[in-house]
Amino acid sequence: MDQILIHRSNLMSSGSIFPNLAEVVWQTSDPSTFPYITLFLVPSVVSLEINCNGGNRLAHVCIEALELLEPRQIYLSFLELRMSSHDQTFLYKLSTVLASQTRLVRVGLPPYSATRQVVRALGRLPGLEEYFATFFDENQSVRDFGKEFDWELDKFPVLKRVTLYTSLADATSLMARPHQPRLNRFTLSSRETFLDSNVYDFCSTLSRNQSSITRLNLLIYPVPQSELTTGPPMSFGLFHPLLHCRGLTELRLESHLVLAYDCEDVGRMASAWPDMSTLSLCPDPDFHVDLDNGQPLPTVSAFTRSFAYLRKLGLYINTLDIDTPPNVPHAELAVLDLGTSVAPSDGSMSSVSEYLAKIIEPLGNLKAGRSVSHVRFLRLDDTDEYDTRVARWETIAANIGKIHESGKDRMRGRNPLGK
């Protein structure tokens, strides 16, 4: 169904019905909607998003729309395409369109569209700051995607942010190139059977050649055909090279596996990343894991105590024993994501709620459940156990809200005039 709905009587009006339109989103699975979208392609448009679900048939319609941009003097700053087509004519014409859009700042394309011609066209754009691979059919493997994405000397002059769907080996090769832009954000989604050496090699190469990176997201899941959704935990030692990226303010690790680390590792992280504000360490592995793998609940306060600027934290918790109140000066976290962590029993719901209420700020958020990437990559069916875990953490979140509200009421009682 088309996302832009136009009353048929408007089609007879002269010129555009929206002469000052700046953003257009076109979502369709019907080629006959092409005449409608042309009404919205006016010189004022600077942002265009096209989501076509129809393979090669719709790809040709999409390129017809894109080829209207330059004749109509439309120069975009943002372009995002989501579609499924490997048609070579489409990809060739796409490179020509990109070359003409010299004001582009952000571009999102399907992973398979990163052909040599397309990448060269992107590299010549003088103001391109961000390239991201849009998501694709979950049944496809990324093994052959991203091989053509490359940086060359004097190309991508101001590129700062990149998102790729490709293998760890290809991402490592890319990061080893002698000429590359100085990135401040890199996101890698990789679907492959987990190998320790691939992870370590990628982290080592990135830390050598992009040591000033500030935001890093690594999403590592098995290939769709794999039966492997569980396994031994990943050691944080695989990610030790990232400790040399001392400017990191955001690190997000996602996997179907648990991440294993200890108090010494927490200290290393805090020392290496003093400005860290967002840290997520595989909070939602496949929950059919050995319960000996994971962290005790007091680890949450260990992180908030060690990181001065931490605002968002994601962890996998496997034990909920609480010996003492959290050793933190005041509530720090805006978001705590516990993913698929073990849920508290009926007898510990109150104590866990009280504990976390001292860590999560009054307007903060306790999250639980699988991430979007986890659901897309693994396609796991929800079970009673999973539903129970999520429901219990949602109850904890509600309890925390009541505790904070009760605290506000007590403060109002002490100071009824609001002084």
Side-chain angles (χ1 to χ4, degrees):
M1 185 179 70
D2 215 51
Q3 188 165 330
I4 302 175
L5 301 178
I6 312 167
H7 195 275
R8 187 169 296 277
S9 62
N10 290 329
L11 296 178
M12 302 305 296
S13 61
S14 61
S16 170
I17 55 178
F18 297 112
N20 298 314
L21 191 64
E23 300 180 7
V24 174
V25 178
W26 181 28
Q27 180 173 330
T28 186
S29 57
D30 182 2
S32 67
T33 59
F34 174 70
Y36 297 85
I37 194 63
T38 61
L39 295 175
F40 293 87
L41 297 180
V42 295
S44 58
V45 171
V46 294
S47 174
L48 176 60
E49 179 182 337
I50 300 178
N51 191 336
C52 293
N53 181 19
N56 293 336
R57 183 174 58 117
L58 267 171
H60 290 289
V61 175
C62 169
I63 206 67
E64 286 184 48
L66 293 175
E67 287 178 327
L68 291 174
L69 298 179
E70 188 175 23
R72 294 190 179 191
Q73 296 184 323
I74 301 172
Y75 295 99
L76 303 173
S77 61
F78 173 77
L79 173 64
E80 179 175 351
L81 303 181
R82 291 175 177 264
M83 59 187 61
S84 178
S85 172
H86 297 260
D87 183 78
Q88 293 302 307
T89 301
F90 163 75
L91 295 174
Y92 173 76
K93 290 184 176 181
L94 176 60
S95 66
T96 303
V97 169
L98 291 170
S100 70
Q101 291 294 308
T102 56
R103 298 179 190 174
L104 279 168
V105 176
R106 299 177 61 218
V107 175
L109 302 175
Y112 55 79
S113 66
T115 62
R116 188 173 298 276
Q117 293 94 332
V118 168
V119 172
R120 284 179 176 172
L122 290 170
R124 294 188 179 100
L125 294 174
L128 186 66
E129 295 182 4
E130 179 176 359
Y131 167 78
F132 59 99
T134 55
F135 203 74
F136 54 95
D137 184 350
E138 294 88 352
N139 290 317
Q140 292 178 286
S141 170
V142 298
R143 192 171 301 278
D144 295 324
F145 295 157
K147 290 182 180 297
E148 299 296 340
F149 192 86
D150 199 356
W151 5 80
E152 302 173 20
L153 184 62
D154 299 329
K155 300 297 188 293
F156 295 102
V158 296
L159 190 66
K160 301 181 185 305
R161 302 177 297 277
V162 173
T163 298
L164 294 180
Y165 289 93
T166 190
S167 68
L168 281 162
D170 286 336
T172 301
S173 178
L174 178 66
M175 289 298 173
R177 300 289 195 273
H179 305 290
Q180 52 186 280
R182 187 180 292 266
L183 303 177
N184 58 35
R185 187 180 78 198
F186 185 75
T187 298
L188 172 65
S189 290
S190 181
R191 307 173 78 182
E192 55 192 307
T193 302
F194 184 85
L195 293 175
D196 287 359
S197 58
N198 287 349
V199 176
Y200 188 85
D201 289 347
F202 170 79
C203 292
S204 296
T205 305
L206 179 123
S207 66
R208 285 196 304 270
N209 299 318
Q210 294 286 347
S211 60
S212 61
I213 199 164
T214 58
R215 301 169 66 186
L216 179 62
N217 303 297
L218 300 179
L219 291 68
I220 306 170
Y221 292 92
V223 294
Q225 294 81 10
S226 174
E227 295 294 329
L228 177 65
T229 58
T230 61
M234 291 186 293
S235 168
F236 181 71
L238 299 177
F239 301 93
H240 272 185
L242 298 180
L243 297 174
H244 298 291
C245 300
R246 302 187 65 83
L248 277 175
T249 61
E250 176 182 316
L251 175 62
R252 183 162 62 103
L253 304 179
E254 284 191 19
S255 178
H256 61 299
L257 301 174
V258 176
L259 182 66
Y261 53 93
D262 55 27
C263 291
E264 291 185 1
D265 287 321
V266 175
R268 293 188 186 100
M269 296 181 212
S271 176
W273 307 321
D275 298 321
M276 184 67 72
S277 63
T278 299
L279 182 60
S280 185
L281 302 176
C282 303
D284 65 330
D286 179 4
F287 62 92
H288 299 294
V289 296
D290 185 347
L291 295 184
D292 290 337
N293 299 323
Q295 298 295 319
L297 187 63
T299 303
V300 176
S301 60
F303 275 95
T304 57
R305 188 172 61 250
S306 301
F307 289 83
Y309 301 105
L310 193 62
R311 300 285 292 147
K312 299 179 181 180
L313 177 63
L315 301 177
Y316 176 75
I317 300 299
N318 74 323
T319 59
L320 298 161
D321 297 332
I322 304 169
D323 297 328
T324 59
N327 181 18
V328 294
H330 53 80
E332 294 279 354
L333 293 181
V335 176
L336 175 60
D337 182 1
L338 295 181
T340 54
S341 293
V342 174
S345 62
D346 290 339
S348 61
M349 294 284 279
S350 177
S351 60
V352 171
S353 300
E354 292 282 352
Y355 186 91
L356 293 179
K358 293 182 173 67
I359 295 173
I360 301 172
E361 64 183 23
L363 295 179
N365 182 23
L366 175 64
K367 296 172 56 181
R370 300 187 182 108
S371 69
V372 172
S373 298
H374 190 145
V375 173
R376 282 174 170 168
F377 281 129
L378 293 185
R379 294 184 172 215
L380 296 174
D381 294 328
D382 287 346
T383 65
D384 291 341
E385 180 184 356
Y386 174 75
D387 292 339
T388 298
R389 289 191 182 193
V390 173
R392 285 184 174 274
W393 284 119
E394 289 175 346
T395 300
I396 295 288
N399 291 345
I400 292 172
K402 293 175 183 177
I403 292 170
H404 286 153
E405 191 60 37
S406 176
K408 291 179 183 178
D409 290 341
R410 288 195 297 270
M411 292 299 294
R412 294 189 193 104
R414 295 173 185 170
N415 190 8
L417 298 180
K419 295 180 180 179

